[in-house]
């Protein structure tokens, strides 16, 4: 399963997901900062349809909303 989390440092909802990943020691989620490279933000908009973060791409399919992402990761990695 290919997991990529698109985020930005200043977003509190992104920070909530990042803390969850760190606290649960979840490995295998690629972290992509949309402000580190303009191409990252463009990919998010093109593939996800909007520039909303956090966005977890699961095998190329976007999932939005921090609590939905946390619930998915909790079920997958518990």
């Amino acid at each position: 399963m290919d997991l990529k989390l698109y985020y930005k440092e200043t977003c509190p909802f992104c920070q909530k997901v990042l803390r969850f990943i760190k606290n649960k020691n979840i490995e295998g989620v690629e972290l992509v900062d949309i402000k580190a490279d303009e191409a990252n933000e463009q990919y998010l908009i093109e593939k996800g349809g909007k520039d909303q973060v956090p966005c977890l791409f699961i095998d190329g399919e976007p999932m939005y909303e921090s609590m939905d992402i946390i619930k998915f990761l909790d079920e997958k990695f518990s």
Side-chain angles (χ1 to χ4, degrees):
M1 180 180 306
D2 183 38
L3 300 174
K4 291 183 183 175
L5 179 69
Y6 283 69
Y7 75 98
K8 65 181 173 184
E9 285 292 330
T10 58
C11 170
F13 299 103
C14 295
Q15 290 302 318
K16 183 192 318 186
V17 175
L18 292 169
R19 272 193 309 276
F20 178 82
I21 290 171
K22 183 179 178 184
N23 291 340
K24 291 286 188 171
N25 295 315
I26 294 173
E27 295 181 6
V29 178
E30 182 181 341
L31 303 179
V32 182
D33 183 347
I34 66 166
K35 295 301 178 186
D37 184 341
E38 192 175 309
N40 294 340
E41 189 169 9
Q42 286 296 57
Y43 180 88
L44 174 64
I45 294 167
E46 288 172 18
K47 299 298 182 187
K50 49 189 171 180
D51 65 353
Q52 178 181 330
V53 287
C55 178
L56 179 66
F57 280 92
I58 306 162
D59 293 331
E61 293 297 317
M63 174 185 282
Y64 296 95
E65 302 300 328
S66 58
M67 291 310 296
D68 292 342
I69 294 169
I70 287 170
K71 182 179 180 205
F72 170 81
L73 292 173
D74 195 33
E75 290 172 358
K76 224 28 164 174
F77 292 96
S78 290

